[in-house]
């Protein structure tokens, strides 16, 4: 790890742990965000991103605590069963930015009585609303604990995972891929672990799902043209800018996730997935390049220009055309996109081979 500037190497977020209302949680999250921005330039990127995600976890854990208390004070009582609050998406992978939106769910134990299901529906809605107040926009794809499809008893979750893994058309496969990034945040870890075991048994017992995963993986926007030049946005307010998330970050995440699922790897972090793949296969130049490329993609994603609105950080997610005039940035991006293209071609070859075999 590169030397860091002189500051507390493990900055805590005591304001978050002491917040007593949704508004106080928002203010504490803003304080934590500002503390992270102050140390960003002197910190090694992977270390700093880990701290960002630690803050998100603490916000989620405090929000769960506050929701339990509010539900009790509102007359709904204490939780009538054990449950787990879990993260999906970039937060599940511990790769969330300071401006990431919500991707979460609830796993509830089966021993429910009376109106217990209604309790957790209300709890999920309250929790999602609290997180929105705290600065986490609601997911446009509705992957949230407020939605019945992501707020279920463990037995219902297991049936859902089985259905997703058995149906190889686009939408169920997309949902299975989202589910693959699940990570425990708060509540019963036992439920999260049971969920994860069942997920991986579904994937391992449906080997014919691999072509569906590959078809999903190879779909992404063009990033290099036939001349090896970077493809930027052609029209609109971002004409001439480069879409970091969908141009380089997501293609790498998707490819490495698919490789991990093919090999039965249970990690959710992209870097940990890569490490496990390299341990299994002894490493290769392409995998080593992918590791370096992914770190560049993570750094670029967090280096896109920031804006502050109502105290909260936001970003368009684009590298501006002015930034692309920097030779170092341009070289790193072009080199990283070259790795993306090589991985993409390898995935296409695998897909064609699987389709020829009739999988």
């Amino acid at each position: 790890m590169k030397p860091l500037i002189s500051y507390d190497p493990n900055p805590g977020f005591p304001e978050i742990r002491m917040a007593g209302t949704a508004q106080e949680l928002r203010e504490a999250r803003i304080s934590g965000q500002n503390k992270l921005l102050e140390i960003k330039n002197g910190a090694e990127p992977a270390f700093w991103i880990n701290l960002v995600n630690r803050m998100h976890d603490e916000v989620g854990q405090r929000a769960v605590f506050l929701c339990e208390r509010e539900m009790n004070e509102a007359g709904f009582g204490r939780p009538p069963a054990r449950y787990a609050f879990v993260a999906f998406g970039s937060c599940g992978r511990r790769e969330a930015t300071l401006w990431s939106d919500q991707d979460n769910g609830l796993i509830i134990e089966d021993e429910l009585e009376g109106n217990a299901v209604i309790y957790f529906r209300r709890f999920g809605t309250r929790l999602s609303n609290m997180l929105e107040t705290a600065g986490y926009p609601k997911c446009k794809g509705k992957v949230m604990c407020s939605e019945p499809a992501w707020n279920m008893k463990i037995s219902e979750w297991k049936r859902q995972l089985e259905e997703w893994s058995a149906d190889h058309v686009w939408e169920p496969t997309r949902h299975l891929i989202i589910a693959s990034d699940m990570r425990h945040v708060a509540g019963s870890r036992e439920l999260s672990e049971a969920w994860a075991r069942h997920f991986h048994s579904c994937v391992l017992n449906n080997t014919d799902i691999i072509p569906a995963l590959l078809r999903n993986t190879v779909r992404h926007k063009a990033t290099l043209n036939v001349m090896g030049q970077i493809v930027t946005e052609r029209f609109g307010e971002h004409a001439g800018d480069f879409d970091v998330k969908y141009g380089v970050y997501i293609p790498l995440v998707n490819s490495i996730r698919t490789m991990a699922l093919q090999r039965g790897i249970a990690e959710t972090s992209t870097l940990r997935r890569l490490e496990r793949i390299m341990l299994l296969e002894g490493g290769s130049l392409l995998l080593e390049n992918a590791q370096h490329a992914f770190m560049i993609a993570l750094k670029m994603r967090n280096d896109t220009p920031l804006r502050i609105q109502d105290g909260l950080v936001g970003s368009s997610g684009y590298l501006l055309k002015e930034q692309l005039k920097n030779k170092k940035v341009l070289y790193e991006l072009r080199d990283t996109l070259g790795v993306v293209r090589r991985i993409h071609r390898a995935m296409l070859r695998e897909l064609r081979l699987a389709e020829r075999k009739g999988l």
Side-chain angles (χ1 to χ4, degrees):
M1 183 179 292
K2 296 177 182 177
L4 307 178
I5 60 173
S6 179
Y7 67 88
D8 178 0
N10 293 294
F13 304 98
E15 300 95 336
I16 291 172
R17 294 190 288 273
M18 294 174 64
T21 65
Q23 185 58 38
E24 287 180 8
L25 189 59
R26 177 189 178 90
E27 292 166 2
R29 180 253 165 92
I30 291 173
S31 173
Q33 158 204 287
N34 292 341
K35 185 185 297 186
L36 288 164
L37 288 173
E38 287 175 6
I39 66 174
K40 182 175 184 290
N41 290 337
E44 194 271 333
F47 180 78
W48 186 80
I49 291 165
N50 184 61
L51 292 179
V52 169
N53 283 270
R54 174 178 159 186
M55 181 191 74
H56 292 323
D57 280 0
E58 291 198 20
V59 172
Q61 290 157 6
R62 190 61 182 176
V64 166
F65 171 83
L66 293 176
C67 278
E68 280 196 16
R69 190 172 73 183
E70 287 186 3
M71 290 285 285
N72 190 40
E73 291 172 350
F76 298 110
R78 306 295 299 172
R82 294 183 308 152
Y83 69 93
F85 176 61
V86 298
F88 298 101
S90 60
C91 193
R93 298 187 301 273
R94 297 189 67 85
E95 296 160 10
T97 62
L98 285 173
W99 55 89
S100 289
D101 62 2
Q102 293 186 47
D103 284 291
N104 52 53
L106 286 179
I107 307 167
I108 308 156
E109 73 174 346
D110 286 325
E111 289 72 24
L112 298 181
E113 297 178 0
N115 294 324
V117 172
I118 297 175
Y119 176 96
F120 283 108
R121 290 285 184 269
R122 288 172 172 160
F123 182 87
T125 298
R126 187 181 291 257
L127 180 54
S128 181
N129 288 341
M130 182 175 291
L131 289 170
E132 183 180 35
T133 299
Y136 299 89
K138 291 190 174 180
C139 173
K140 293 179 181 177
K142 297 188 175 181
V143 180
M144 296 178 292
C145 59
S146 56
E147 301 297 318
W150 301 91
N151 177 334
M152 292 190 286
K153 295 187 293 184
I154 183 71
S155 59
E156 294 170 330
W157 265 116
K158 288 180 177 179
R159 285 195 296 272
Q160 182 68 85
L161 293 173
E162 289 164 7
E163 290 172 10
W164 285 344
S165 61
D167 191 349
H168 303 155
V169 297
W170 176 258
E171 193 68 7
T173 302
R174 185 180 73 85
H175 284 137
L176 190 72
I177 288 170
I178 292 169
S180 70
D181 291 333
M182 188 280 287
R183 185 174 62 82
H184 178 83
V185 176
S188 170
R189 189 174 293 276
E190 183 180 344
L191 284 169
S192 297
E193 290 173 350
W195 187 104
R197 285 194 300 272
H198 194 76
F199 171 87
H200 287 284
S201 71
C202 287
V203 174
L204 292 174
N205 292 330
N206 287 275
T207 54
D208 53 349
I209 198 175
I210 298 304
L213 294 173
L214 288 167
R215 278 191 289 273
N216 182 286
T217 301
V218 298
R219 291 168 61 111
H220 63 79
K221 67 196 297 183
T223 51
L224 290 175
N225 63 21
V226 292
M227 302 296 292
Q229 297 170 322
I230 295 169
V231 177
T232 57
E233 297 296 305
R234 295 181 61 191
F235 307 107
E237 63 175 311
H238 291 293
D241 300 340
F242 183 82
D243 184 349
V244 174
K245 181 176 180 179
Y246 291 103
V248 62
Y249 169 71
I250 289 296
L252 283 168
V253 165
N254 289 348
S255 297
I256 294 162
R257 180 200 292 115
T258 296
M259 287 190 280
L261 290 173
Q262 285 176 296
R263 292 156 178 81
I265 293 170
E267 300 286 353
T268 59
S269 155
T270 302
L271 284 174
R272 293 294 296 275
R273 283 168 169 164
L274 258 176
E275 289 170 3
R276 288 293 305 280
I277 293 167
M278 293 172 76
L279 280 173
L280 282 173
E281 304 189 354
S284 71
L285 183 58
L286 181 57
L287 289 175
E288 289 174 7
N289 288 340
Q291 195 173 38
H292 177 71
F294 183 70
M295 288 307 306
I296 295 296
L298 269 184
K299 183 177 184 302
M300 286 185 172
R301 193 175 179 216
N302 284 277
D303 283 347
T304 55
L306 305 180
R307 62 176 183 274
I308 303 290
Q309 184 172 358
D310 298 326
L312 291 163
V313 167
S315 173
S316 68
Y318 285 84
L319 282 178
L320 304 183
K321 48 183 171 287
E322 290 78 14
Q323 291 176 281
L324 296 175
K325 293 176 182 177
N326 182 301
K327 290 184 179 179
K328 183 176 184 294
V329 171
L330 191 65
Y331 172 79
E332 287 185 333
L333 180 57
R334 187 182 292 119
D335 191 52
T336 300
L337 292 176
V339 176
V340 171
R341 183 161 64 178
R342 289 196 294 277
I343 293 174
H344 182 258
R345 288 172 176 170
M347 291 283 179
L348 275 175
R349 287 194 295 270
E350 281 193 58
L351 176 58
R352 288 166 184 157
L353 180 61
E355 289 175 338
R356 283 199 297 271
K357 290 181 177 179
L359 293 178

